[in-house]
């Protein structure tokens, strides 16, 4: 089957940002999740936390580079009024202690029970864990954002991950270029499809069993 | 004991021997004690076990690896998942010439905090069911599975702060704080490089991030630019 054209990275980031509710504190992982900070929903107060010890930053800075003011991906950032700095133990206390409402992480694979693999690439024989394992177990809600399939067209949403895990049963929601899928106690449930994509196409490109309700909404972007 | 102020980074390293375990503060470009690392490289110290958040290519630590000065690394980030620029460390690691202990970042921070606070270990959910749980004792508490993780200390810590007074009280700048105040508590010999050293009283007591008791040596040295190819 021809793989349907999915969302761009920007549109995936925009869809993730819609999950943020007024008053939430959010941690955005490295890579695609970082893009989400450019699409924060208007009218909602969302506080961004970075695991290198920053609470309340604005977005990516295009001003003069200050090497002491960077996010976890090493990118320069701006500060908002009321921002604070802390050491890394306090920062991960926020994360592990359940004080972060939502973490957004990239993914390589996830399973039907919400296991996540996102740090080690077997084909390359390498990878680094950073703060991903702490975010996976510690955030109150974990959203994974990733392409629905690999570049070779292989499914990333599987019955069981074949890559080394980041965490077990930790994913609550996955946003891909094709769909939004909830991880529930009864398995994966399709919530939305991307414009121009059908539920059948999503199910065909998902290895794990996927429950498809009678009516599946199209993503509003 | 009151901290001693040295004139140069090289002099601040007096007595440092081969074979040390060395904590190095900093996160990517923020708060790296680069002057002390450059001086250690010049000094030719070998057999180092480096304990630091990340090893990146094009850094003095990676040049120390290339020169055969580093035996092992304890870090959260050392080998990239993407096949971008390869560090000298990665080449040596794949050849079996250096060891790597990969630690989740929150566990890494807490191990150092615990080590510095006289806590032998702690229980965390982080890493359960992953390859990083191998060799660790699992314990069940109130129906939840945890890993027993040990506290971490080192022979020497290199840290970077913004201001110090001559007693050794430290203030960090912005996100340069990161692991620095934790490492300041967890090593036998703590050496801080700082932007400026002021008289006692010039730093408000409420503003002190690292109390002087933790700092042994200081040297004034401006931050060197750190390259980052992220």
């Amino acid at each position: 089957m021809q793989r349907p054209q999915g969302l761009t990275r920007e549109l995936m980031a925009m869809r993730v940002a819609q999950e943020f509710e007024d008053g939430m504190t959010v941690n955005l992982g490295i890579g695609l999740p970082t893009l989400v900070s450019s699409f924060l929903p208007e009218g909602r107060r969302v506080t961004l936390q970075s695991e290198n010890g920053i609470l309340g930053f604005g977005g990516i800075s295009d001003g003069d580079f200050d090497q002491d003011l960077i996010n976890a991906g090493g990118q320069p950032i701006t500060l908002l009024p009321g921002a604070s700095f802390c050491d890394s133990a306090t920062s991960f206390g926020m994360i592990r202690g359940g004080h972060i409402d939502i973490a957004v992480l990239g993914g390589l694979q996830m399973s039907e029970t919400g296991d996540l693999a996102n740090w080690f690439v077997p084909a390359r024989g390498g990878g680094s864990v950073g703060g991903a394992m702490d975010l996976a177990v510690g955030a109150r809600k974990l959203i994974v954002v990733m392409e629905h399939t690999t570049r070779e067209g292989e499914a990333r949403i599987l019955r069981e991950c074949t890559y080394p895990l980041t965490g077990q049963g930790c994913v609550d929601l996955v946003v891909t270029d094709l769909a939004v899928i909830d991880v529930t106690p009864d398995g994966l449930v399709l919530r939305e499809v991307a414009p121009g994509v059908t539920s059948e196409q999503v199910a065909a490109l998902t290895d794990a069993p996927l429950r498809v309700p009678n009516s599946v909404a199209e993503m509003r972007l | 004991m009151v901290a001693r102020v040295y004139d140069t980074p090289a002099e601040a390293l007096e007595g440092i021997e081969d074979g040390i375990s060395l904590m190095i503060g900093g996160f990517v470009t923020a708060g790296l004690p680069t002057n002390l690392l450059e001086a250690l490289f010049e000094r030719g110290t070998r057999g180092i076990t480096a304990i630091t958040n990340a090893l990146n290519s094009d850094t003095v630590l990676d040049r120390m690896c290339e020169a055969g000065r580093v035996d092992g690394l304890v870090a959260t980030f050392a080998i990239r998942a993407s096949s971008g620029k390869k560090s000298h460390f990665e080449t040596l690691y794949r050849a079996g010439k250096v060891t790597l202990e990969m630690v989740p970042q929150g566990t890494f921070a807490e191990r150092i905090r615990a080590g510095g606070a006289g806590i032998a270990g702690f229980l965390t959910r982080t890493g359960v069911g992953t390859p990083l749980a191998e060799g660790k004792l699992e314990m069940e508490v109130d129906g939840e599975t945890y890993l027993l993780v040990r506290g971490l200390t080192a022979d020497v810590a290199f840290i970077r702060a913004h201001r110090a007074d001559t007693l050794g009280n430290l203030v960090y700048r912005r996100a340069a704080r990161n692991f620095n105040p934790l490492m300041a508590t967890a090593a036998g010999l703590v050496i801080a490089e700082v932007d400026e050293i002021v008289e006692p009283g010039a730093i408000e007591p409420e503003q002190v991030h690292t109390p002087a008791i933790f700092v042994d040596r200081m040297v004034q040295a401006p931050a060197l630019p750190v390259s980052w190819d992220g």
Side-chain angles (χ1 to χ4, degrees), chain A residues 51 66-70 72-74 85 87-89 92 96 124-125 127-130 133-134 137 164-166 168, chain B residues 27 29-30 76-82 90 94 102 105-106 124-126 130-131 173-176 178-179 224 226 228:
Chain A
E51 61 263 33
D66 177 348
Q67 65 180 9
D68 291 341
L69 190 55
I70 54 166
F85 298 109
D87 66 67
S88 299
F92 278 95
R96 231 189 287 97
R124 177 163 149 64
S128 285
V129 69
M133 287 187 183
D134 304 281
V137 304
L165 291 189
T166 305
Q168 287 178 319
Chain B
F27 189 102
T29 58
T76 82
F77 188 102
I79 292 176
R80 284 166 181 275
S82 61
E90 181 177 343
R94 291 185 187 282
M102 180 86 73
Q105 200 168 103
T124 179
R125 289 181 297 140
T126 302
T130 76
R173 182 175 178 272
R174 299 190 150 183
N178 54 67
F179 300 93
L224 300 175
V226 179
W228 165 240

Side-chain angles (χ1 to χ4, degrees), chain A residues 16-27 40-41 44-49 55-56 99-103 140-141 143:
Chain A
V16 169
Q18 291 173 4
E19 295 297 309
F20 302 166
E21 292 168 20
D22 189 45
M24 280 187 164
T25 300
V26 170
N27 180 295
L40 296 183
R44 295 180 212 171
R45 291 161 305 163
V46 173
T47 303
L48 297 179
Q49 194 256 12
L55 183 64
H99 306 283
I100 303 295
D101 294 298
I102 294 181
R140 296 164 73 95
K141 177 176 181 176
I143 300 176

Side-chain angles (χ1 to χ4, degrees), chain A residues 22-117:
Chain A
D22 189 45
M24 280 187 164
T25 300
V26 170
N27 180 295
L28 303 174
I30 294 170
L32 178 48
T34 306
L35 263 183
V36 177
S37 69
S38 305
F39 298 100
L40 296 183
E42 264 181 51
R44 295 180 212 171
R45 291 161 305 163
V46 173
T47 303
L48 297 179
Q49 194 256 12
S50 190
E51 61 263 33
N52 54 322
I54 310 171
L55 183 64
F57 66 95
I60 307 303
S61 165
D62 48 16
D64 291 339
F65 181 60
D66 177 348
Q67 65 180 9
D68 291 341
L69 190 55
I70 54 166
N71 64 17
Q75 297 166 304
I77 53 171
T78 59
L79 288 181
L80 295 178
S84 59
F85 298 109
C86 63
D87 66 67
S88 299
T90 305
S91 182
F92 278 95
M94 292 178 195
I95 291 166
R96 231 189 287 97
H99 306 283
I100 303 295
D101 294 298
I102 294 181
V104 183
L105 292 176
L108 296 169
Q109 292 181 336
M110 65 168 273
S111 79
E112 62 175 316
T113 56
D115 294 352
L116 172 67

Side-chain angles (χ1 to χ4, degrees), chain A residues 161-212:
Chain A
C161 296
T162 57
Y163 290 6
L165 291 189
T166 305
Q168 287 178 319
C170 53
V171 183
D172 296 292
L173 182 77
V174 58
V175 174
T176 75
D177 57 329
L178 304 182
V180 177
I181 296 171
D182 284 299
V183 183
T184 77
D186 301 323
L188 304 178
V189 180
L190 182 61
R191 193 203 290 187
E192 296 170 19
V193 290
V197 176
T198 66
S199 301
E200 292 73 23
Q201 286 172 318
V202 173
L205 293 166
T206 305
D207 264 11
L210 181 66
R211 287 177 49 192
V212 180

Side-chain angles (χ1 to χ4, degrees), chain B residues 48-73:
Chain B
I48 297 162
T49 299
I51 301 165
T52 191
N53 180 59
L55 184 140
N56 294 306
S57 54
D58 292 329
T59 58
V60 58
L61 185 57
D62 198 39
R63 281 188 279 126
M64 287 168 66
C65 291
E66 182 186 20
R69 311 281 176 74
V70 176
D71 286 355
L73 180 66

